[in-house]
Amino acid sequence: MQATPGISPMMVLQEKHIRIIAVLISFALSAWAVYSDGIVNRDGILYLQAAKQLTQGQWSSALALYDWPFYSGLIALISQAAGLGLETSAQLLNALLFALTVYVFIGLVGELGGNRKVLVAAGLVILLHPQLNEHRADIFRDNGYWAFYLLAVWLFIKYYKLPQLRYALAWGIAIFVTILFRIEGVAFLCLLPLTLLFKRDLNLPRRLLTLAGAWLLGFVGLLLLLVGWVINPEAVMHNIGRLDEPLRWVGYLWHGLSGHLQEQAARLSQAILNQYSENHALHAVIAALIAILAFGVFSALSLVYAVLIFHSFISGTFRTFLAVDMQRIIIGLVAINLVVLSLFLLKMFFLTGRYPMPLALTLMLVLPFHLIALQDRWRMGQIRPLVRTLYLALAGLAVVAVCVDGLVTFGPSKQHIKMAGLWIAHEAPASARLYTNDEVVAYYAGRWQPIDYDGFNETLRQLREGGWRNFDYLAIRAKKHDKALETAARQAVGQEPVKVFVNNHGERLLIFQTHSRSNGRQP
C-alpha cells in the first residue's frame, strides 16, 4: 500500500494497526458469542443440512433444500479443507465474515475522509453495535451479505474517485459475491453506478463510459446467461436459482401492488374498521407499512445509534465532513436500501430485524465523524458546563448499555432445547422415531427433516387424534404461558414425561416415551 501524499508512512501504519486491532477484537467477540450462546439457529440448520449434502456430492439434494447454496458451499469447503465439523466450520466462517465487516467498515470510513481519530471512533462504533453483536453466534448468510456489501461500496468509491479498470473489476467481483449471498445485491449492481452520472469533473461522454465500466461484469454475466439460454434453456431454468427473482419482484410491483394493497385494506376494513372509517382502510395499511419500516430501521440501529445519527443530520455533520460526491453516494445507498426494503415489505407485510442492517450500516458511516465533531466541540469549550456534564453522564450510560446489550443475552435461554436434543440422540435407539414441534431438538437429536416444525394446530391435531402413536418419542416444547400443548401431550400419552428440560424463563421441553417403545415393540 502506497502512502497517500501528505501523510507519513507512520500514519498509514497506524491506520493499519487500528484495523488489525479491531479485527482481533472482532474475533474475540465472536468467540465469546459462540461460547455463551452457541446453539444453532433455525436458518442455520437449513444451511448446515445443505452443506452436508454438498460434502457428500449430492448437489441436487442440496439445491432442493436451499436454492441459493453459496453460503452452504463455503461451509462445506471449509469443513473439507480444514477437517472440521460443519457446525464448527460455519462458526469459523461467521467469525471471518464479521471480522471482514469490521475491517471494511473502518476502511470505508477512511475512504470517506476520516482521519486517525475518526477511524478509532469507527472501530468503536462497529465493534459496540449491539444488533451486530447479537447475531455473532447465528449461522446465517446475511453476515456475508453485510461484509461484501460494505466491501463493494468501498471499491465503488475507489472507482468513483479514480475510474480505472482494476477498480471497476474489483467492484464488480465484490458486488457479485454480495449477490451470491443475497439476491438483493442485484439492486445495487444496477442502481448504484447511476451516481456516476452526477460526477461533475467528467463531461457527459466520459460519465457514460465510466458508467459502462461499472456495469462491465454485469454485462458479461448477462451475456453468459443469454448464451446459456440459447444453448440449453431448460438447463438454465433448472439451475438459475433465484436469478429470476428480481424480475419477478419488478413484475409484481408493476402488476400486483395496487391489487395487493387493496386486498389488505379490505381485510382491515372487515376485521376492524366500521362504516364510518372504512374509506381510510388503504391509508391505514400504508401508514402501518411505513411504521413497520421505520421501526425496523430504528431497531437495526439501536436507540443510542439512532439518536446520534439523527443528531448528526440535524446538526450538519453530514454536510461538514463529507465531500459532496460522497454525500451523493451515501444518499444513493440509503435510497436503494429503502427501495429494496419497501418492495419486500409491500409483498410480505413483515420485516425481520436483520433485513434493514445494510441500511443501518450505511447510516452508521456518518457516526464516527459526528462523534469526533462532538469531542472537538467539547475540547474547545463550545458546550456549556451543565450540558457537558449531562453529555458525559448520558454517554457513559449509553456505552454501558450498548456493551451489555450486545454481549449479554437477557432473553430466554435455548440451552434446554439443545440439551433435550442431545439427550434423545444419546438415549433413544437409532431406529426410534421422533415427533417434535421444534426443529432445533430434531437437529441435535440427529433426526431433522425438511418439514414444518412450527405448526401449533398441527401438533395439537397429532396429539388429540392419535397421530403420536406412530412415533416412539415425543419432544414437545411448551412456552411459559402456553399450557395447551403440555396438557394435550400429557392427556394423550397418559403418563408423565421421562425427561423435562426447563430454561431460565420457565419454558419447558417435555420428552415422552410412547407405549410402543416402552412395551418393547419396534417401529
Side-chain angles (χ1 to χ4, degrees), residues 135-281:
H135 291 294
R136 281 186 178 271
D138 291 339
I139 298 173
F140 67 145
R141 60 197 172 109
D142 294 70
N143 52 15
Y145 179 63
W146 303 338
F148 280 90
Y149 163 79
L150 290 176
L151 180 59
V153 172
W154 189 5
L155 294 170
F156 178 81
I157 291 176
K158 286 181 175 292
Y159 178 68
Y160 190 100
K161 292 180 177 180
L162 189 61
Q164 295 182 350
L165 180 60
R166 55 174 177 160
Y167 289 133
L169 294 177
W171 137 259
I173 293 171
I175 196 62
F176 265 102
V177 177
T178 305
I179 293 170
L180 290 175
F181 279 105
R182 290 197 70 92
I183 193 63
E184 291 91 330
V186 170
F188 298 93
L189 170 62
C190 295
L191 299 177
L192 184 59
L194 294 176
T195 57
L196 291 164
L197 295 176
F198 300 94
K199 191 169 170 55
R200 293 182 177 180
D201 59 337
L202 299 178
N203 57 32
L204 182 59
R206 288 290 305 277
R207 294 181 196 180
L208 294 176
L209 183 61
T210 305
L211 177 62
W215 280 337
L216 178 61
L217 287 187
F219 289 141
V220 172
L222 182 61
L223 180 61
L224 292 175
L225 193 62
L226 290 174
V227 170
W229 174 271
V230 172
I231 295 174
N232 192 340
E234 291 185 3
V236 172
M237 287 300 297
H238 181 70
N239 297 292
I240 198 172
R242 293 185 170 182
L243 284 177
D244 63 334
E245 193 169 301
L247 294 177
R248 289 190 282 110
W249 278 87
V250 172
Y252 166 77
L253 178 64
W254 184 260
H255 295 290
L257 176 58
S258 177
H260 185 55
L261 287 176
Q262 292 289 350
E263 179 184 347
Q264 299 300 325
R267 291 181 177 179
L268 177 65
S269 179
Q270 294 173 3
I272 299 177
L273 304 180
N274 54 38
Q275 58 180 330
Y276 303 106
S277 57
E278 60 183 6
N279 291 334
H280 299 289

Side-chain angles (χ1 to χ4, degrees), residues 252-314:
Y252 166 77
L253 178 64
W254 184 260
H255 295 290
L257 176 58
S258 177
H260 185 55
L261 287 176
Q262 292 289 350
E263 179 184 347
Q264 299 300 325
R267 291 181 177 179
L268 177 65
S269 179
Q270 294 173 3
I272 299 177
L273 304 180
N274 54 38
Q275 58 180 330
Y276 303 106
S277 57
E278 60 183 6
N279 291 334
H280 299 289
L282 182 59
H283 302 149
V285 169
I286 295 174
L289 291 174
I290 294 173
I292 293 172
L293 178 60
F295 182 77
V297 176
F298 182 85
S299 298
L301 285 170
S302 80
L303 174 62
V304 175
Y305 282 50
V307 170
L308 287 171
I309 290 171
F310 178 74
H311 186 253
S312 73
F313 280 97
I314 65 174

Side-chain angles (χ1 to χ4, degrees), residues 457-469:
N457 293 328
E458 172 63 19
T459 303
L460 281 179
R461 188 185 67 80
Q462 289 280 355
L463 293 171
R464 291 172 177 173
E465 297 182 8
W468 60 271
R469 292 188 177 89

Side-chain angles (χ1 to χ4, degrees), residues 30 54 176 187 226 237 263 271 291 301 305 316 331 347 353 362 399 420 429 450 484 501:
S30 294
L54 291 173
F176 265 102
L226 290 174
M237 287 300 297
E263 179 184 347
L301 285 170
Y305 282 50
I331 292 172
K347 183 174 175 61
T362 304
V399 170
F501 295 87

Side-chain angles (χ1 to χ4, degrees), residues 468 471-474 493 495 512-519:
W468 60 271
F471 300 91
D472 304 300
Y473 286 86
L474 308 180
V493 181
Q495 63 184 35
F512 296 89
Q513 188 175 354
T514 68
H515 291 294
S516 60
R517 174 60 60 182
S518 59
N519 289 338

